[in-house]
Amino acid sequence: YIRDYRERCPQVKGLESMANLVRSVEETPDPIPTTIKGTVPAWINGSFLRNGPGKFEFGKERYTHWFDGMAMMHRFHICDGDVTYSSRFLRSDSYVRNSEKDRIVVSEFGTLAMPDPCKNIFARFFSRFQVPKTTDNASVNFVKYKGDYYVSTETNYMRRIDPQNLETKEKVDWSQYIAVNSATAHPHYDREGASYNMGNSYGKSGFFYNIIRVPPPEEKAAEVDSADLSGAKVICSIAATESRKPSYYHSFVMSENYIVFVEQPIKLDLLKFMLYRIQGKSFHKVMTWEPQHDTVFHLVNRHTGKESEVKYRAAPMFALHQINAFEDNGFLVMDMCCGDDGAVIGDFTLENLRREAGEEMDKFYNSLCRNLPRRYVLPLNVDEQTPLDQNLVTSPNYTATAKMTKPGEVYMNHEELHNDELLQYGGLEFPQINYESFNGRPYRYFYACGFGHVFSDSLLKMDVHTKELKVWRYPGLYPSEPVFVASPKATEEDDGVVLSVIITPREEKGTFLLVLDAKTFTELGRAEVPVNIPYGTHGVFNMMG
C-alpha cells in the first residue's frame, strides 16, 4: 500500500536549497513597522503569535535536529490596517545555561549534550549515567490555560508568556500539579473555557496515557500575575497496550462529548530510553516505527471520563495533527492528517534540511512519506447485539467502513478526504479550522499547508463536502501554518481571513505576513518585514480587548 501511494505522488526534480530557512537569526525585541502592500482589513485587531526554532548553535557546537533549535517567539501586531513585528528568544533554562557556557549543555530531542570537558574523567564518565534533565525549550506552540498564554513543547515544562511583549515568565512543571511527566503542545478547548490535554505517567503498575482537564479561568484570576493550573485533574488513564513500548503521540481528538486517543505504532522503547544516555545516543533514536501493530482508537466520554470497552482498530498509520471531529447520529467522525510511514520524524535533521539544491535535495524529498487527510467513522452504539462482519457505518454521507470482527472489537477502514489533485501539491499538514465556532461540530472547510518541498510551499483550502481545493502557491515562497480569524459579523463558516507568514530562501529579508480572504482564498494584502525569519511550527491569533 505504501508503495502504491508513493507511486501516486509525483516525483519531484530540481528542488531549491532550504538552508536559509533553518539558520540562526537575531531577535527583534522592540516592535518595528512593516510595509503594507494591498490592504489589511481594519477590523483585524490583535496579535498573530508564532513559535519555532530560531538558534541552531552555541559557540562551536551545533544542534543536529531541526526540533532542537532554541525557541523563538514572533508577534505580528495588527490594528487599524497597520502591522508591527517583534520577536524574542524564549529565555528558557536551556537557552540561558547554553548562553552562559557558550556551548550546548542541555540535551534536546536530537542532540545529546556532551559532558563538560572541564570535569575530570571520572565525573564525566558518571555523568553519562544520570537521567538527562528534561529541556524547557518550548518551541512548538502557544497554548492557553485559565486565560494565560504559555509556550509549550512535549516535555513536562511550559513557560508562561506575556503576549504583549513576548517576555518570558515562570517555568511551569505539570508534575507539580498532577501525576504526569509530559503534555502535548496541542490542547483542546471547550465552549466553557476549560482546556484538555494528554500526558504520560509511568509507575509500578505500568505505562498510562492520561487525559487532563484544566478548568476555565476564575473571576479573581486576573488580579494575580502568576501561573495557575490549580484544579487540573486527570479525568481518564488509559493503559498502554505494551507497557514497555508505549506509543508516541503529538495530539488527540475531541468532539462535543468524546475524546479519542489514537495509539499509533510509533513506539518509544523504554529500555532503550534508560540506556540511551549511557550509549551517548539522542532521544529520537528511541522511537521506532512498528507497522506490524494496528492503530488503536481509545474512546472516552469527556464528561464522565469513562473509557469505552469497545476497542476500535485500523491499519497502521501515523498522525501528528487532527483536523476536526464531530458526532453525527450515533457516529463519531474523525478527520486527521495521516501518513503510512512513521519513520519520518527522525529524518528532519539539519543535515538533511540543508542539503544542496538539485539531486541531493530531490532524493531526500522523494523518499519522504506524504501526509494526506483521512476520515475515520466510529460507530458509537456497539453492544452484544451488534452483528459481526457487516459494515456498521450506515450513513450515506460516508464511504469509511467499520465492522465488528469479534465481540468488543471494531475494525475501521478510512475514507480518503481528498481527490488526486491534492497529490500534485505533495499532500498536506498543519491543518486549521474555524476553531472557535466549529471545533467538535459538523464543519465544511479546513486550511492547511501543501508540501511540494520538505517545507510547505503552498496554502490550501479544502472543502470536505466536495473534496475541492483552493490554492495559493508561488515559486520560492514558503508559507507557515494558516490561521483563520473570523470577521466580527460573520454568519458563514469561512467568513474571515487566513493569516500566514511567508518566507523565502531566494532573497535576504524577503519575509511578509500574508492576509488571504478565507472565502475566495485570494490575497487581500501583505505586511513586509525587514528581517529574516526561520521556518516555524505553530501559531495562534490573540484577540485584543
Side-chain angles (χ1 to χ4, degrees):
Y1 178 73
I2 291 176
R3 197 174 67 242
D4 156 61
Y5 121 102
R6 288 248 160 99
E7 281 165 5
R8 284 166 59 202
C9 284
Q11 295 283 296
V12 176
K13 278 184 100 140
L15 292 172
E16 65 187 314
S17 167
M18 293 279 104
N20 282 348
L21 306 189
V22 287
R23 60 178 170 173
S24 299
V25 296
E26 298 294 316
E27 61 183 1
T28 309
D30 298 316
I32 55 171
T34 62
T35 308
I36 307 287
K37 301 272 170 75
T39 54
V40 174
W43 58 260
I44 306 176
N45 184 20
S47 296
F48 184 30
L49 304 172
R50 285 195 41 80
N51 199 351
K55 182 173 171 65
F56 300 97
E57 64 284 307
F58 283 94
K60 296 195 174 76
E61 295 183 9
R62 294 163 180 271
Y63 290 113
T64 55
H65 198 282
W66 178 56
F67 295 171
D68 300 342
M70 292 289 102
M72 186 177 211
M73 303 171 287
H74 309 267
R75 177 179 185 252
F76 291 85
H77 183 59
I78 311 169
C79 185
D80 296 332
D82 213 25
V83 181
T84 59
Y85 169 79
S86 55
S87 64
R88 279 193 171 183
F89 282 111
L90 177 68
R91 297 306 194 264
S92 59
D93 292 354
S94 303
Y95 179 89
V96 171
R97 288 176 58 205
N98 293 338
S99 300
E100 282 168 358
K101 292 273 202 289
D102 200 29
R103 65 186 194 86
I104 296 170
V105 293
V106 181
S107 294
E108 299 290 341
F109 174 77
T111 307
L112 192 79
M114 283 297 128
D116 188 339
C118 304
K119 285 184 180 168
N120 72 38
I121 189 160
F122 291 105
R124 289 210 320 250
F125 178 74
F126 284 110
S127 75
R128 283 250 191 246
F129 292 86
Q130 294 156 3
V131 174
K133 287 189 174 60
T134 312
T135 182
D136 64 338
N137 174 35
S139 63
V140 180
N141 205 355
F142 276 87
V143 298
K144 220 172 175 177
Y145 296 102
K146 292 194 167 192
D148 277 332
Y149 275 102
Y150 296 82
V151 284
S152 79
T153 174
E154 302 195 320
T155 68
N156 55 314
Y157 294 122
M158 300 186 294
R159 280 280 182 169
R160 200 163 65 93
I161 294 299
D162 182 329
Q164 307 293 337
N165 59 18
L166 301 181
E167 199 183 307
T168 303
K169 302 204 162 198
E170 70 269 47
K171 179 159 105 169
V172 176
D173 180 351
W174 274 105
S175 65
Q176 299 298 303
Y177 291 90
I178 42 173
V180 296
N181 55 26
S182 67
T184 81
H186 290 288
H188 275 295
Y189 311 101
D190 68 16
R191 312 253 170 244
E192 290 68 53
S195 311
Y196 294 80
N197 208 334
M198 290 198 61
N200 299 332
S201 63
Y202 186 61
K204 287 189 179 68
S205 52
F207 191 101
F208 293 89
Y209 314 107
N210 301 293
I211 299 173
I212 306 160
R213 180 181 184 271
V214 181
E218 293 138 33
E219 304 277 299
K220 297 197 290 286
E223 298 161 25
V224 189
D225 184 26
S226 65
D228 176 19
L229 292 182
S230 62
K233 61 176 197 274
V234 170
I235 59 170
C236 180
S237 284
I238 299 164
T241 306
E242 276 188 281
S243 67
R244 282 188 175 175
K245 279 187 157 184
S247 288
Y248 169 76
Y249 56 97
H250 187 76
S251 61
F252 60 98
V253 178
M254 187 166 102
S255 68
E256 294 231 64
N257 297 297
Y258 296 96
I259 283 175
V260 181
F261 167 60
V262 183
E263 193 174 22
Q264 50 192 12
I266 293 188
K267 301 285 191 173
L268 297 171
D269 189 323
L270 294 182
L271 290 174
K272 276 191 191 165
F273 186 70
M274 308 301 180
L275 289 168
Y276 91 98
R277 173 78 177 193
I278 303 164
Q279 294 169 342
K281 285 183 179 163
S282 61
F283 179 69
H284 75 284
K285 298 276 197 301
V286 307
M287 286 167 52
T288 52
W289 170 241
E290 303 197 356
Q292 69 273 26
H293 299 291
D294 281 347
T295 304
V296 183
F297 297 79
H298 300 267
L299 177 71
V300 176
N301 182 309
R302 182 160 81 76
H303 310 294
T304 64
K306 193 168 159 17
E307 184 185 353
S308 164
E309 291 182 4
V310 180
K311 283 283 168 275
Y312 297 90
R313 295 179 172 275
M317 61 87 171
F318 97 104
L320 289 173
H321 299 115
Q322 319 304 322
I323 303 168
N324 199 8
F326 58 90
E327 294 147 48
D328 176 17
N329 291 321
F331 298 101
L332 177 57
V333 180
M334 302 186 309
D335 297 346
M336 51 184 99
C337 295
C338 302
D340 288 313
D341 180 2
V344 64
I345 289 190
D347 293 337
F348 274 65
T349 61
L350 289 164
E351 185 184 11
N352 276 335
L353 296 175
R354 290 172 177 155
R355 285 185 182 206
E356 287 186 18
E359 205 176 328
E360 279 298 294
M361 186 50 97
D362 297 351
K363 198 162 88 183
F364 173 53
Y365 171 78
N366 288 322
S367 75
L368 291 173
C369 158
R370 307 281 177 267
N371 283 8
L372 297 163
R374 282 181 188 170
R375 172 165 280 179
Y376 291 88
V377 180
L378 274 70
L380 293 169
N381 308 319
V382 175
D383 57 26
E384 294 81 62
Q385 269 68 56
T386 303
L388 290 177
D389 292 325
Q390 72 182 49
N391 182 17
L392 305 175
V393 183
T394 47
S395 166
N397 301 336
Y398 311 116
T399 59
T401 63
K403 289 180 182 174
M404 189 139 108
T405 46
K406 57 183 183 200
E409 250 184 45
V410 172
Y411 193 86
M412 305 189 298
N413 282 310
H414 64 269
E415 169 182 340
E416 291 200 333
L417 207 54
H418 63 91
N419 51 35
D420 278 359
E421 187 192 359
L422 178 61
L423 301 177
Q424 304 304 314
Y425 297 100
L428 57 80
E429 253 299 344
F430 293 147
Q432 285 279 353
I433 59 168
N434 176 345
Y435 190 93
E436 204 135 301
S437 304
F438 288 86
N439 179 53
R441 296 179 170 173
Y443 75 116
R444 182 161 184 177
Y445 303 109
F446 73 89
Y447 310 93
C449 286
F451 276 77
H453 201 320
V454 296
F455 285 145
S456 47
D457 66 342
S458 63
L459 290 169
L460 307 171
K461 177 188 181 181
M462 169 74 82
D463 180 331
V464 297
H465 292 181
T466 65
K467 300 184 182 176
E468 285 172 294
L469 284 179
K470 285 189 163 76
V471 183
W472 185 94
R473 187 188 206 184
Y474 292 93
L477 298 182
Y478 297 87
S480 73
E481 172 188 65
V483 169
F484 176 84
V485 183
S487 65
K489 297 191 176 72
T491 52
E492 289 174 291
E493 182 182 344
D494 58 350
D495 189 351
V497 297
V498 166
L499 304 177
S500 175
V501 179
I502 313 294
I503 55 180
T504 176
R506 295 184 181 185
E507 54 175 306
E508 280 296 297
K509 301 175 181 173
T511 308
F512 59 93
L513 173 68
L514 174 70
V515 184
L516 293 178
D517 178 319
K519 205 178 268 306
T520 60
F521 226 53
T522 52
E523 182 172 336
L524 295 171
R526 55 177 72 178
E528 296 175 343
V529 191
V531 298
N532 288 318
I533 294 180
Y535 192 81
T537 44
H538 298 285
V540 295
F541 185 76
N542 177 31
M543 289 279 182
M544 284 304 169

